[in-house]
Amino acid sequence: RDLPESWFPIHAAGEDWLNTGALLRWVACASEMESYFSIDRRVRELIAATFSSAITKHFADLPNVKLLDPFASVDESLPSIVQTPTVFSFELTDSSGTPLGRDALKTLHHQLNIGAAGTRFHLGQPVKIGDQRHVLRIALGGPLVIDFATDQSRGTKLRDRLEALEQMIGQLGTEIQAL
């Protein structure tokens, strides 16, 4: 069953074709989107701008990291959620300057995700670009925007929460350099 036994009456009311688990995931997604869009657009933009500048600040000068230019929107019919790039790809090299391949990046990705426990930005698995290149990607994501806009355990003022976001990105840069 897709649902706990205590929810059996809901499941029993469903037809065979109804995938209740998928329906609940869509409800959760809609709720997350509602939370995201309830945040003032200026605050969302400020969080995205802080994330973007922190990535540039903390990754651009790392000797083993090559930060790629973010992709521009290719579909002008859809308005962007924020004006600032929120997904960044980066290539990593070994000590001799040779780009790391897929397997080495998979190992590094796993190590970084363990080290980044408790963070809500998304560090994506290795992605192939071109014929021989592989990169990791880091994305801001809606959950992080919601957290930094509303979670006062990171600071009672937005300015304090934005500083915490920058520190998180700086810590990730430090962890990348250490591995």
Side-chain angles (χ1 to χ4, degrees):
R1 294 183 187 239
D2 282 348
L3 299 172
E5 247 345 277
S6 63
W7 291 13
F8 182 72
I10 296 171
H11 190 272
E15 300 292 329
D16 287 341
W17 58 268
L18 181 63
N19 183 334
T20 310
L23 177 62
L24 291 172
R25 287 188 292 279
W26 274 106
V27 169
C29 176
S31 175
E32 185 101 1
M33 290 173 65
E34 185 177 348
S35 295
Y36 178 86
F37 284 108
S38 71
I39 297 167
D40 184 282
R41 181 178 185 85
R42 294 169 297 195
V43 172
R44 294 192 320 253
E45 289 286 349
L46 189 55
I47 293 168
T50 300
F51 178 82
S52 178
S53 67
I55 293 291
T56 302
K57 174 183 174 182
H58 293 288
F59 284 40
D61 294 331
L62 294 177
N64 63 329
V65 174
K66 178 182 179 191
L67 195 57
L68 280 62
D69 290 333
F71 292 104
S73 175
V74 294
D75 187 351
E76 297 301 324
S77 67
L78 294 173
S80 61
I81 294 175
V82 293
Q83 299 301 311
T84 306
T86 57
V87 179
F88 293 86
S89 300
F90 55 98
E91 201 169 25
L92 294 157
T93 61
D94 62 19
S95 58
S96 69
T98 303
L100 298 181
R102 181 179 176 270
D103 291 340
L105 286 176
K106 280 182 82 170
T107 300
L108 185 63
H109 171 258
H110 178 72
Q111 292 170 330
L112 289 170
N113 272 330
I114 290 171
T119 61
R120 297 284 303 265
F121 54 77
H122 180 71
L123 183 62
Q125 63 187 343
V127 174
K128 185 176 183 179
I129 58 171
D131 289 332
Q132 301 295 320
R133 295 171 66 192
H134 290 83
V135 298
L136 292 178
R137 293 174 298 164
I138 184 171
L140 176 58
L144 189 66
V145 173
I146 294 166
D147 282 354
F148 278 92
T150 63
D151 182 2
Q152 294 198 359
S153 70
R154 297 178 189 272
T156 56
K157 295 180 180 164
L158 180 60
R159 177 181 63 243
D160 297 333
R161 296 190 300 270
L162 295 176
E163 287 175 13
L165 173 59
E166 182 168 337
Q167 289 172 0
M168 282 174 49
I169 300 300
Q171 179 61 37
L172 179 63
T174 301
E175 290 175 19
I176 289 172
Q177 195 60 39
L179 298 173

